[in-house]
């Protein structure tokens, strides 16, 4: 029986946060895509104008999962939350931590009067899709994701 | 021959911005989804902590298009830009304004050292998809969009 606590991350948690980011990226078959570092997380998330928020699930003095989100803006609805990553470490799946983290994220969305909470899921990630469907999410296949990466941005006018 | 100027929006432009938002929503068959108001745009975008940025294409003292974006955060790459809406008014299509607005957005991405620029496009919006492909965007169908709306957020624990 575990007694997890959900709380906002501190900068001391960035090492554990980075480990979770890596773990999810490997699961999503994109481990080599991660360029994030602990110091970038500390700089971008724990200074005067944090670019994101992180809720962590802590148990036995160990961080077992997190919800990583930021404020986004919908031109149709207004201030919203984008859930960038909801991650529970593989070996702690099935302990209910994902639901605890999602619930805590919803509470923050309620406090912010967020008009929407949105996130993305890979089309083959059935456990996640089923988890999100059970939570009542609308899952929509009609939007494609478009992207330019850093190199393409840098060289755009060359 | 037009001589459009691309500049950052001022709060006086919010009426024109809202008209563009409406026009795009109708084109996307979702006109009834727009709950945005001019006063919300002014409050959220032109106060001490703006939640978004808008570049407008102005010509003959008229706003003919805009790029509406905000800072987002990628756990893999870091600080990035999400292009929420790139809109050119229907009657001013074909004047090159979309490209001017996109270029100006890229310049802002370069100034910010953004790691990514990303946005979404509807799977049936072929003119937009072709425009983005010509710009070199990677268009990806493997991510589904998930969402809870305001009512679902509010009633989540009921």
């Amino acid at each position: 029986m575990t007694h997890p606590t959900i709380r906002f991350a501190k900068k001391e948690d960035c090492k554990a946060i980075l480990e979770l980011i890596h773990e999810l990226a490997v699961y999503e078959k994109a481990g080599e895509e991660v360029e994030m570092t602990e110091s970038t997380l500390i700089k971008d998330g724990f200074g005067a104008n944090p670019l994101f928020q992180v809720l962590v699930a802590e148990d036995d003095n160990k961080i077992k999962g997190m919800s990583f989100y930021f404020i986004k803006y919908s031109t149709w609805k207004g201030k919203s939350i984008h859930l960038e990553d909801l991650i529970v470490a593989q070996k702690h799946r099935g302990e209910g931590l994902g639901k605890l983290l999602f619930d805590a994220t919803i509470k923050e969305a309620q406090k912010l009067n967020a008009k929407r909470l949105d996130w993305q899921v890979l089309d083959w990630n059935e456990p996640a899709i089923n988890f999100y469907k059970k939570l009542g999410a609308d899952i929509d296949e009609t939007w494609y994701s478009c992207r330019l990466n850093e190199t393409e941005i840098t060289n755009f006018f060359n």
Side-chain angles (χ1 to χ4, degrees), chain A residues 104-115:
Chain A
T105 309
I106 292 279
K107 282 178 194 156
E108 294 308 313
Q110 290 175 343
K111 278 186 217 164
L112 276 164
N113 293 315
K115 301 295 181 184

Side-chain angles (χ1 to χ4, degrees), chain A residues 42-98:
Chain A
I42 291 170
K43 178 169 66 70
D44 290 345
F46 298 87
N49 294 301
L51 297 177
F52 57 81
Q53 300 291 333
V54 189
L55 290 162
V56 294
E58 189 176 43
D59 196 15
D60 298 330
N61 287 316
K62 197 177 164 349
I63 287 173
K64 298 182 172 179
M66 70 168 181
S67 163
F68 189 113
Y69 65 88
F70 55 80
I71 304 287
K72 62 164 280 178
Y73 203 81
S74 158
T75 41
W76 296 356
K77 305 296 183 187
K79 186 163 65 173
S80 300
I81 285 181
H82 185 81
L83 179 56
E84 174 72 5
D85 279 344
L86 181 72
I87 312 177
V88 174
Q90 185 75 42
K91 60 183 165 189
H92 297 292
R93 304 264 170 90
E95 297 176 14
L97 297 173

Side-chain angles (χ1 to χ4, degrees), chain A residues 10-152:
Chain A
K10 300 171 284 196
K11 66 182 172 199
E12 293 73 26
D13 301 319
C14 284
K15 186 164 180 290
I17 291 170
L18 188 60
E19 281 169 18
L20 288 168
I21 291 169
H22 272 284
E23 188 178 321
L24 181 63
V26 169
Y27 177 76
E28 291 180 336
K29 306 181 171 69
E32 75 292 349
E33 291 273 345
V34 179
E35 294 169 16
M36 186 52 63
T37 64
E38 190 181 339
S39 62
T40 300
L41 283 173
I42 291 170
K43 178 169 66 70
D44 290 345
F46 298 87
N49 294 301
L51 297 177
F52 57 81
Q53 300 291 333
V54 189
L55 290 162
V56 294
E58 189 176 43
D59 196 15
D60 298 330
N61 287 316
K62 197 177 164 349
I63 287 173
K64 298 182 172 179
M66 70 168 181
S67 163
F68 189 113
Y69 65 88
F70 55 80
I71 304 287
K72 62 164 280 178
Y73 203 81
S74 158
T75 41
W76 296 356
K77 305 296 183 187
K79 186 163 65 173
S80 300
I81 285 181
H82 185 81
L83 179 56
E84 174 72 5
D85 279 344
L86 181 72
I87 312 177
V88 174
Q90 185 75 42
K91 60 183 165 189
H92 297 292
R93 304 264 170 90
E95 297 176 14
L97 297 173
K99 181 68 166 71
L100 286 177
L101 286 161
F102 196 87
D103 286 356
T105 309
I106 292 279
K107 282 178 194 156
E108 294 308 313
Q110 290 175 343
K111 278 186 217 164
L112 276 164
N113 293 315
K115 301 295 181 184
R116 277 179 172 170
L117 173 70
D118 51 42
W119 66 100
Q120 291 191 299
V121 65
L122 279 162
D123 59 1
W124 52 259
N125 191 351
E126 275 187 51
I129 291 171
N130 291 334
F131 175 73
Y132 294 140
K133 279 187 179 161
K134 269 208 293 196
L135 295 174
D138 171 43
I139 299 187
D140 183 345
E141 306 174 22
T142 59
W143 289 94
Y144 293 160
S145 296
C146 307
R147 174 166 292 157
L148 293 178
N149 65 28
E150 187 176 17
T151 310
E152 290 162 339

